[in-house]
Amino acid sequence: MVKILICDGLDKSGLKILRSAEGVEADTPDGLGAAEIKAILPQYDAMIVRSRTRVTADLIESAQRLKAVGRAGTGVDNIDVEAASARGILVMNTPGANAMAAAEHTLALMLALARHIPQATGSMRHGLWEKKKFVGTELYHQTLGIVGLGKIGSIVADRALAMKMRVLVYDPHIVPEMAAVLGVEYVSFDDLLAGSDFITVHTPLTGETHWILNRQTLAKTKPGVRIVNCARGGLIDEAALREFLSNGHVAGAALDVFEIEPPTGSPLLDMPNVIFTPHLGASSLQAQENVSVAISSQLLDYLQRGLIRNAINFPSVSMKDYERLRPYLLLAERLGNLQGQLCRAVQKLDITYAGPDLQEVPLQPLTQTVIKGLLDPVMAEKVNLINAPLLLKERHIELTVSTTSQSRGYTGEITVKVKGCGKDEYSASAAVFPGQEVRLVRLNDYMLEAELEGINLIVQNLDKPGTIGHIGTTLGNFNVNIANMHLARSRERDRAIAIIRVDNEAPPEALESLRSHPSIIFVQQVKL
Ligand code: NAD
Ligand code: MLT
């Protein structure tokens, strides 16, 4: 039974998907605190959170069964992604699923701010009719500065252009052509600050964007500027904003998000020229349904089929690419596994992808799968696709990855070379054969066609008559049944290799007995 803990409430559409899946139990306990979550999390394979629950390193440490954390939303700043990656836990979100809601909320805040709508509502509730007090400003022909032209920033830009605003954009991580396509002006941050009547921020909260609007940057803004934040609280230094609102340099602000939520003690709460909503950007019926359906199906895809989408700590793969990659994922894992068992103390790992099947598909998942396969036989700790690259780095294994169109006739071929201590060096290539069968097609200089599965003995010997007979007799003496055998000879015809698939594991004494034969150079048992 796969158990999923839903922490922060999830629209019923997603719950329905989870609960109708076979072998899945989705629990929705109400309003759990951190300590309560920590106490029950060890029973769960996955958890779904929105922004309320903080998935800390401490929480992750306690969750021995946890394989995935699903964020029904965009921002993952409430999840310690690094701690999750180190433990091999996949973190995924639902990018774009609430973008329309957040963009429309931004526009609603901007219009409400420009026309003092919340203040006028409050005044009327007090029985007043203050027409003169609430004279506003139009957006028409005003300049809007958008910081961060991602999914939400782009929708805001499009709608602002429809309202005939001039739109300036600052985003150092996009190419200027992206702005040109949208019909907005790509400018420097200083030019955006100096030239905008309204500024709206739409970046994630990162080390680089924390307090992007602070005392220094607010000082560069146009007097009378209005500021909107429907992204993340930490993007604005709230104390600095209060100063600029108090001295009138900033005419007003509209905030949906706060550095601490709920914002008890925020220096902005009593400012008359600031309007607020309690983190409602994604609170539309449609967005809640979208994120709920998206995270539930993504989580099931991962837990039941290993398909990864919208992961924060793993490269995502589309369904189409996944279907193409599927046989190669198996191949990659077995090839890595073979090399992990053949080579001691790997120092260098070199992966080459060849052939038409492996062109124009994301190769990172395959690389991470090779690494997982390689480290699995030697690590006590659980290795999976998420923590594999981290473990590789920790073990100081140098990785190189290349592609080539030359594939010796195979539609797709992966070669994994490893170099260990001393002279330990192996090169193994495998390809996918019809029926999606994966076969070892080369081991060092030996050309083969051996199925890459099960328990195998790899025996290298001097090519002398009687050696194969001896191998068969020895294994027979130890009651080890041979399922099949692939033989290959070196180009010089002096040495040979046998890949012997056996039905049961050969005991150490059998391997020793084989090694003691004068013609046998090398014997290694590998389990794939
Ligand atoms: P996105 O990843 O699509 O876009 C973010 C953009 O910010 C990217 O284009 C990126 O290049 C840009 N960026 C990153 N660093 C930058 C920097 N230093 N300066 C300028 N630009 C920078 O994300 P999105 O889906 O558009 O979400 C934007 C923000 O809105 C996020 O913080 C997200 O958490 C938040 N959000 C809030 C709500 C809400 O309820 N209020 C709802 C959804 C999303
Ligand atoms: C998000 O990042 O998706 C928003 O903050 C909305 C939410 O709180 O889920």
Side-chain angles (χ1 to χ4, degrees):
M1 177 67 72
V2 172
K3 288 188 74 180
I4 302 175
L5 177 66
I6 293 156
C7 293
D8 301 340
L10 192 69
D11 184 83
K12 57 181 184 323
S13 45
L15 274 179
K16 203 168 149 199
I17 294 176
L18 294 174
R19 289 190 169 144
S20 55
E22 211 175 304
V24 174
E25 184 186 307
D27 295 340
T28 52
D30 233 9
L32 294 185
E36 292 153 311
I37 296 177
K38 191 174 170 181
I40 59 168
L41 200 57
Q43 309 162 28
Y44 289 93
D45 299 283
M47 70 193 294
I48 295 181
V49 299
R50 286 178 55 209
S51 52
R52 190 187 68 96
T53 299
R54 301 202 69 76
V55 186
T56 59
D58 179 47
L59 205 63
I60 286 168
E61 204 43 55
S62 71
Q64 293 308 318
R65 251 175 89 164
L66 202 67
K67 295 175 193 69
V69 178
R71 163 73 162 103
T74 308
V76 287
D77 38 317
N78 55 327
I79 301 168
D80 190 331
V81 178
E82 210 174 304
S85 305
R87 282 276 324 279
I89 296 167
L90 188 77
V91 179
M92 56 176 89
N93 69 348
T94 59
N98 58 20
M100 188 57 73
E104 288 188 4
H105 197 68
T106 305
L107 294 157
L109 286 174
M110 196 159 66
L111 283 160
L113 179 68
R115 304 303 287 268
H116 311 292
I117 288 169
Q119 294 92 335
T121 308
S123 155
M124 282 191 69
R125 286 202 203 287
H126 285 95
L128 302 170
W129 188 255
E130 301 182 287
K131 278 176 74 80
K132 281 198 184 124
K133 187 173 173 186
F134 297 122
V135 174
T137 177
E138 292 175 9
L139 302 187
Y140 180 65
H141 282 182
Q142 298 274 300
T143 300
L144 172 65
I146 299 180
V147 183
L149 193 67
K151 286 174 282 297
I152 298 169
S154 302
I155 304 174
V156 171
D158 179 62
R159 300 327 190 246
L161 288 173
M163 291 194 287
K164 308 292 177 219
M165 296 185 86
R166 178 184 172 209
V167 178
L168 307 181
V169 158
Y170 167 67
D171 189 329
H173 304 291
I174 60 161
V175 289
E177 288 72 23
M178 234 181 100
V181 167
L182 275 169
V184 297
E185 296 167 52
Y186 183 85
V187 296
S188 69
F189 192 36
D190 279 359
D191 284 349
L192 180 142
L193 294 171
S196 304
D197 302 299
F198 288 80
I199 295 175
T200 179
V201 283
H202 295 287
T203 70
L205 178 61
T206 62
E208 187 194 15
T209 60
H210 181 248
W211 285 10
I212 195 165
L213 292 181
N214 54 41
R215 257 182 210 97
Q216 287 73 38
T217 52
L218 285 170
K220 294 179 181 173
T221 57
K222 202 171 175 177
V225 67
R226 287 176 172 81
I227 290 168
V228 180
N229 185 2
C230 190
R232 277 296 175 268
L235 300 179
I236 301 180
D237 173 356
E238 292 177 5
L241 180 59
R242 184 187 166 94
E243 274 174 40
F244 282 79
L245 284 159
S246 302
N247 67 25
H249 182 92
V250 173
L255 307 174
D256 182 48
V257 285
F258 306 87
E259 187 130 35
I260 295 167
E261 293 181 359
T264 355
S266 164
L268 298 168
L269 285 179
D270 61 348
M271 297 299 287
N273 44 356
V274 185
I275 63 171
F276 309 99
T277 47
H279 204 142
L280 291 184
S283 295
S284 74
L285 294 173
Q286 296 83 349
Q288 287 313 302
E289 188 177 329
N290 290 346
V291 297
S292 174
V293 168
I295 203 67
S296 303
S297 15
Q298 286 172 209
L299 213 51
L300 284 184
D301 275 347
Y302 179 56
L303 296 171
Q304 297 186 322
R305 305 168 56 202
L307 171 60
I308 297 177
R309 287 186 286 142
N310 298 328
I312 302 297
N313 52 359
F314 190 79
S316 284
V317 179
S318 71
M319 196 70 91
K320 192 168 143 248
D321 285 340
Y322 176 71
E323 287 309 326
R324 279 180 71 184
L325 283 178
R326 199 150 47 161
Y328 291 96
L329 287 166
L330 180 69
L331 185 157
E333 173 139 21
R334 298 239 172 109
L335 211 43
N337 214 240
L338 171 76
Q339 294 290 46
Q341 293 176 69
L342 283 177
C343 188
R344 301 283 151 200
V346 175
Q347 292 171 345
K348 283 188 179 165
L349 167 65
D350 180 281
I351 307 171
T352 307
Y353 298 103
D357 275 6
L358 298 175
Q359 308 294 310
E360 289 161 31
V361 279
L363 296 173
Q364 187 61 22
L366 292 176
T367 300
Q368 288 187 215
T369 309
V370 171
I371 300 171
K372 173 188 181 293
L374 180 85
L375 296 182
D376 234 1
V378 291
M379 305 278 301
E381 144 181 21
K382 189 173 144 268
V383 185
N384 69 15
L385 299 184
I386 318 301
N387 62 5
L390 229 84
L391 293 173
L392 193 83
K393 228 185 234 172
E394 273 174 24
R395 294 173 73 83
H396 302 284
I397 300 175
E398 205 181 294
L399 170 71
T400 46
V401 178
S402 54
T403 52
T404 167
S405 51
Q406 288 158 11
S407 62
R408 300 183 301 137
Y410 301 113
T411 53
E413 181 186 359
I414 304 178
T415 298
V416 175
K417 289 185 190 160
V418 284
K419 190 173 175 339
C421 277
K423 286 188 177 158
D424 239 8
E425 204 168 336
Y426 297 89
S427 171
S429 306
V432 173
F433 279 62
Q436 306 215 325
E437 196 187 14
V438 299
R439 290 198 190 175
L440 182 68
V441 293
R442 186 179 188 146
L443 185 60
N444 291 342
D445 287 336
Y446 298 98
M447 310 305 279
L448 296 147
E449 263 194 28
E451 289 125 31
L452 207 49
E453 64 174 312
I455 308 171
N456 290 274
L457 294 178
I458 300 179
V459 182
Q460 196 194 14
N461 56 281
L462 298 174
D463 195 17
K464 294 206 171 143
T467 316
I468 295 296
H470 169 74
I471 296 171
T473 312
T474 309
L475 291 177
N477 288 343
F478 284 92
N479 222 7
V480 178
N481 193 47
I482 296 178
N484 60 46
M485 189 187 276
H486 290 265
L487 302 171
R489 203 149 62 159
S490 64
R491 239 178 265 137
E492 298 76 20
R493 296 168 154 252
D494 57 341
R495 288 172 183 224
I497 202 166
I499 313 279
I500 307 159
R501 171 106 169 265
V502 288
D503 285 339
N504 51 319
E505 209 173 310
E509 303 79 46
L511 303 182
E512 272 323 304
S513 172
L514 288 174
R515 284 184 191 118
S516 66
H517 189 277
S519 295
I520 293 180
I521 306 162
F522 171 93
V523 179
Q524 170 87 42
Q525 180 160 244
V526 293
K527 287 177 241 164
L528 300 170

